Amino acid sequence: MLDSAIEQRAAWLRAEIERHNHAYYVLDAPTIPDAEYDRLFRELQALEAEFPALRTPDSPTLRVGAPPLKEFTSVTHGVPMLSLNNAFEEAEVRAFDARVREGIELANGEVDYAVEPKFDGLAISLTYRHGLFVRGATRGDGATGEEVTANLRTIRAIPLRLAGEGWPETLEVRGEVLMLKAEFERLNTRQREKGEKEFANPRNAAAGSLRQLDSRITAGRPLTFFAYGVGLGAGSLKVATQDEVMQVLAAWGFPVTAERRVVRGIAGLMDYFAEIGVRRKSLPFDIDGVVYKVNRLAWQDQLGFVSRAPRWAVAHKFPAEEAITQVLSIDVQVGRTGAMTPVARLQPVFVGGVTVTNATLHNEDEVRRKDVRVGDTVIVVAVMPEQRPMRPGRDLFELEPLHPPFALPTVCPECGSAVEKPADEAIARCTGGLYCPAQRKQALWHFASRRAMDIEGLGDKLIEQLVDTGLVHSPADLYRLDLATLAGLERMGEKSAQNLLAAIEASKKSSFARFIYALGIRNVGETTARDLARHLGTLDKLIAADEAALQEVPEVGPVVAASVVAFLKEPHNRSVIDALLAAGVHWPESEPEAAGPRPLAGKTLVLTGTLPTLKRDEAKALIEAAGGKVAGSVSKNTDYVVAGEEAGSKLEKAQELGVAVIDEGQLRALLTEN
Ligand code: IVH
């Protein structure tokens, strides 16, 4: 039994510590000396250690991080996280304002805009239930992101429990995680002193810190947060403007930037842009522009969205920083799938917070189109042909270029195999497959990478040696390496060899999703691998699935399905898989996802027209959560067409094929069926 006096003391400590956190990290106005704060913190830690029942989910002691995760899980946002359209010129801002006024049918007068900096960090979503922080996720593709709750808990500027009152039952707060410039400098100094890798800029440092499976590492990184909007729960805020939304968020304990304002019309927007442009360098955080949002929420609703961006907001970006340098050479890199990419090696130049030494030229057509040549002067990669080095031509009075136009080699520079470039594709590929050492090295690197089999210590240089000495041909060979062989390699001591062997051994215990991802199937990224694992459950089922069966998996379309089938049909790939299993690679078997009722399992729906209350993305999310799949076009495999107002050709097609047509009400009925 817990003494209620102890409980009270713990509750008081929690509230007190969070009050000081808020003062320090949100208001930037510390209220007590560090030593006193530390004392309170340690007292709470000690109490919780003695009486584990005191550990509440909003305890500030959770801010020191939790044991590492094996992988991130993916989460579906309650309301999709949108992106913003960009404007670079005043004319584009004027066009935006004109569209806004047209959309709200405002013939005369000017629109009020809530304006704020465009933070150069990472977008995240924080979910609160009954005022308690329960989940945090990255933006991901906008519909689903990665759950990073434990990492976000370590950010002191993020409230674990909301202040004030009147919060909706479920609230999603959207904002940006970032690292202040001064903190970034301090972090890099520390990294340098420890002999560890420095970060290129605050954004990369913030991203690298947030995407740690071990939140104790995140806890040691000086991250902060600014809120800029609300997802789920926005409808139940009792406010009429964007500005009031921000005030409510501040009252609930969220940091909001002091740089925000409400301005009127184009003149107000352009003045703000100029003002922030001047102050950009002296702001404590990096920004890459400013954001303009129609202030009145009723107008935001009326304006709505086009594809993934709101019509009521725009990002006015600062011009990209530029620097001039020279092309030293153009090399060809051979990727994991044989894709040959020309890369310009540049005279190193510092621009936009990073030192640029290479610029990928994407593909041969691009190089030709831009006509980049060795010796050219470039603005990062925009070619300046007027400065091309020239020499006297055959005709005495004419000059000709010193260097010829770039041409891809006709054989792979790495393995001598033929190069193939289908007429309808921009990318040339080496046909060597895993015979090509470059492709093999990339495949191994991918296999061992952190999000795949996570073999720590198997870096580029080592892979290079293992492949070049013929010790490793396929990923399965990794599991045959022994201590003597490894210790005999260059720059490899006995201790590192032991560590590597241990890491290889540990990687045998994996997950089905990681295994699929590690295989390096073309078009199968991490998210797709996870979807496949979740929906098929076992390797046997994956191997047995044909293209139609694969397309039953949400988000898997014909291209991915074809890649998976082609990969698994290849005997060579099958024998690598067999060898990996024989070597002891395994994962917990799970049944295909069965959580919750899935009334639309196996059904394909097509959305058309404007539904009365559901936005397109919302309808899609609901259907997928119920196990259904949303397709882009109507075919005889479509089960239902959900039609709203102004439904067009898809509705006609449905009628022609005799596919059932339903409205939003009927869709909602289907979703709740059991
Ligand atoms: S509002 C519906 N406000 O910009 C509007 N976004 O392209 C949603 N961003 O990755 C965004 N600062 O993380 C908004 N003050 C700000 C922002 C901001 C940075 C980022 C956001 C997203 C991107 C949108």
Side-chain angles (χ1 to χ4, degrees):
M1 261 302 282
L2 266 178
D3 188 329
S4 79
I6 294 180
E7 264 179 47
Q8 272 172 22
R9 178 71 185 166
W12 180 83
L13 284 167
R14 283 198 300 269
E16 191 64 6
I17 293 168
E18 284 299 273
R19 190 169 69 79
H20 295 305
N21 272 339
H22 186 256
Y24 188 95
Y25 292 99
V26 179
L27 306 177
D28 205 9
T31 35
I32 50 165
D34 289 0
E36 180 62 9
Y37 175 92
D38 290 344
R39 201 189 57 71
L40 297 173
F41 197 89
R42 277 197 303 269
E43 184 185 342
L44 181 58
Q45 272 182 321
L47 277 181
E48 289 180 353
E50 195 173 345
F51 308 105
L54 289 176
R55 286 200 183 115
T56 56
D58 62 337
S59 175
T61 58
L62 292 170
R63 294 194 185 275
V64 299
L69 305 172
K70 185 77 181 145
E71 64 191 350
F72 293 120
T73 47
S74 66
V75 290
T76 302
H77 301 300
V79 169
M81 293 179 78
L82 302 160
S83 50
L84 292 169
N85 289 322
N86 291 329
F88 292 93
E89 312 284 340
E90 177 170 345
E92 293 169 281
V93 177
R94 287 184 178 278
F96 160 72
D97 176 66
R99 282 194 306 273
V100 165
R101 281 183 293 125
E102 191 187 343
I104 56 176
E105 293 166 56
L106 185 73
N108 302 304
E110 291 183 306
V111 177
D112 280 348
Y113 291 99
V115 298
E116 54 193 78
K118 184 168 191 298
F119 306 104
D120 198 6
L122 290 105
I124 55 149
S125 182
L126 305 168
T127 306
Y128 291 79
R129 300 264 312 152
H130 303 287
L132 206 61
F133 175 56
V134 292
R135 199 177 80 181
T138 60
R139 177 173 185 275
D141 62 8
T144 58
E146 284 180 325
E147 179 179 344
V148 286
T149 313
N151 304 37
L152 290 170
R153 269 209 185 99
T154 69
I155 302 179
R156 302 267 194 306
I158 294 179
L160 299 178
R161 174 182 289 279
L162 298 182
E165 58 196 358
W167 350 286
E169 190 174 296
T170 303
L171 172 73
E172 277 178 343
V173 172
R174 268 54 195 285
E176 201 93 346
V177 163
L178 44 87
M179 197 176 283
L180 300 182
K181 294 184 208 168
E183 297 288 3
F184 163 75
E185 295 300 339
R186 273 196 283 275
L187 173 64
N188 261 359
T189 307
R190 283 205 303 276
Q191 294 287 101
R192 198 159 48 238
E193 283 165 2
K194 284 193 290 184
E196 283 175 26
K197 193 179 124 269
E198 289 182 53
F199 296 97
N201 53 46
R203 206 201 102 82
N204 285 3
S209 303
L210 192 62
R211 316 199 73 196
Q212 292 285 341
L213 289 168
D214 187 343
S215 52
R216 292 168 303 195
I217 297 178
T218 316
R221 302 279 174 79
L223 296 175
T224 191
F225 173 73
F226 284 105
Y228 55 63
V230 175
L232 213 61
S236 36
L237 305 186
K238 307 218 162 18
V239 293
T241 63
Q242 182 72 31
D243 183 48
E244 288 165 343
V245 170
M246 301 301 280
Q247 291 173 26
V248 167
L249 289 176
W252 287 345
F254 292 98
V256 297
T257 171
E259 305 298 331
R260 58 188 198 88
R261 319 241 191 291
V262 177
V263 302
R264 180 153 299 172
I266 289 283
L269 296 178
M270 295 311 297
D271 283 351
Y272 180 70
F273 184 70
E275 179 206 326
I276 296 290
V278 170
R279 302 212 353 260
R280 179 179 185 187
K281 284 241 161 2
S282 57
L283 290 177
F285 42 77
D286 277 345
I287 64 175
D288 56 353
V290 292
V291 183
Y292 307 146
K293 303 174 188 178
V294 170
N295 196 31
R296 196 187 290 187
L297 299 178
W299 283 348
Q300 290 190 0
D301 280 345
Q302 199 177 332
L303 287 160
F305 305 84
V306 222
S307 66
R308 304 201 146 267
R311 258 187 286 225
W312 46 264
V314 75
H316 191 176
K317 303 280 278 277
F318 296 131
E321 237 183 277
E322 291 179 344
I324 289 175
T325 190
Q326 259 82 37
V327 177
L328 302 177
S329 66
I330 301 177
D331 296 349
V332 173
Q333 255 171 15
V334 184
R336 182 158 60 81
T337 56
M340 309 234 297
T341 315
V343 180
R345 307 287 172 202
L346 304 174
Q347 181 67 43
V349 58
F350 189 75
V351 55
V354 286
T355 303
V356 180
T357 52
N358 298 314
T360 161
L361 299 166
H362 304 294
N363 56 57
E364 192 186 7
D365 292 347
E366 175 103 353
V367 189
R368 283 266 174 71
R369 194 172 56 74
K370 291 199 170 142
D371 194 18
V372 188
R373 301 188 192 192
V374 174
D376 276 358
T377 297
V378 292
I379 305 176
V380 183
V381 283
V383 190
M384 296 167 66
E386 64 278 15
Q387 291 198 30
R388 177 168 290 162
M390 303 296 267
R391 64 173 172 209
R394 246 171 299 163
D395 177 338
L396 215 54
F397 300 103
E398 268 194 28
L399 292 174
E400 66 180 29
L402 182 59
H403 298 282
F406 174 79
L408 267 187
T410 51
V411 296
C412 173
E414 299 279 344
C415 71
S417 301
V419 170
E420 189 182 80
K421 185 174 165 200
D424 55 345
E425 276 187 31
I427 296 173
R429 286 177 203 279
C430 158
T431 55
L434 288 182
Y435 166 76
C436 172
Q439 292 185 52
R440 222 178 314 143
K441 287 172 193 169
Q442 300 269 341
L444 282 166
W445 185 87
H446 173 81
F447 181 84
S449 64
R450 194 160 58 88
R451 295 157 173 283
M453 302 302 277
D454 191 18
I455 307 181
E456 206 183 320
L458 191 61
D460 298 358
K461 292 277 173 302
L462 196 54
I463 290 177
E464 194 113 73
Q465 283 192 65
L466 290 170
V467 171
D468 291 345
T469 52
L471 284 168
V472 168
H473 291 271
S474 89
D477 297 336
L478 291 172
Y479 295 93
R480 287 190 208 111
L481 293 170
D482 59 36
L483 193 62
T485 315
L486 280 177
L489 292 173
E490 256 171 61
R491 291 194 296 181
M492 192 58 155
E494 174 112 1
K495 183 78 196 129
S496 350
Q498 269 166 0
N499 289 344
L500 179 60
L501 274 186
I504 293 175
E505 186 60 31
S507 75
K508 288 182 182 171
K509 188 163 172 284
S510 187
S511 74
F512 188 27
R514 279 173 176 272
F515 183 76
I516 298 175
Y517 175 62
L519 292 175
I521 304 170
R522 206 194 282 184
N523 301 312
V524 177
E526 216 185 346
T527 313
T528 307
R530 234 180 266 153
D531 289 340
L532 289 168
R534 190 159 359 116
H535 290 271
L536 292 160
T538 67
L539 183 60
D540 288 341
K541 289 204 177 103
L542 178 68
I543 291 174
D546 59 11
E547 291 186 28
L550 289 168
Q551 288 189 57
E552 300 273 298
V553 176
E555 305 294 333
V556 171
V559 174
V560 171
S563 297
V564 174
V565 169
F567 182 93
L568 291 170
K569 214 169 60 189
E570 182 69 51
H572 171 84
N573 292 331
R574 289 290 288 279
S575 60
V576 170
I577 291 177
D578 290 342
L580 286 169
L581 297 179
V585 173
H586 67 285
W587 53 87
E589 284 282 320
S590 68
E591 275 309 300
E593 180 165 273
R598 299 177 64 80
L600 289 181
K603 301 278 188 244
T604 301
L605 290 80
V606 172
L607 299 167
T608 177
T610 313
L611 301 178
T613 72
L614 284 175
K615 305 221 167 77
R616 201 188 159 77
D617 286 340
E618 293 167 350
K620 181 161 183 269
L622 287 172
I623 291 168
E624 287 174 359
K629 185 165 143 24
V630 175
S633 58
V634 181
S635 73
K636 58 182 192 331
N637 296 328
T638 311
D639 295 287
Y640 301 100
V641 168
V642 187
E645 234 168 273
E646 289 180 37
S649 61
K650 291 180 191 167
L651 180 58
E652 283 164 30
K653 185 86 192 265
Q655 284 156 348
E656 192 183 305
L657 293 174
V659 173
V661 176
I662 60 175
D663 63 12
E664 183 182 313
Q666 289 163 307
L667 170 65
R668 287 190 184 273
L670 282 179
L671 289 168
T672 51
E673 249 168 39
N674 257 324

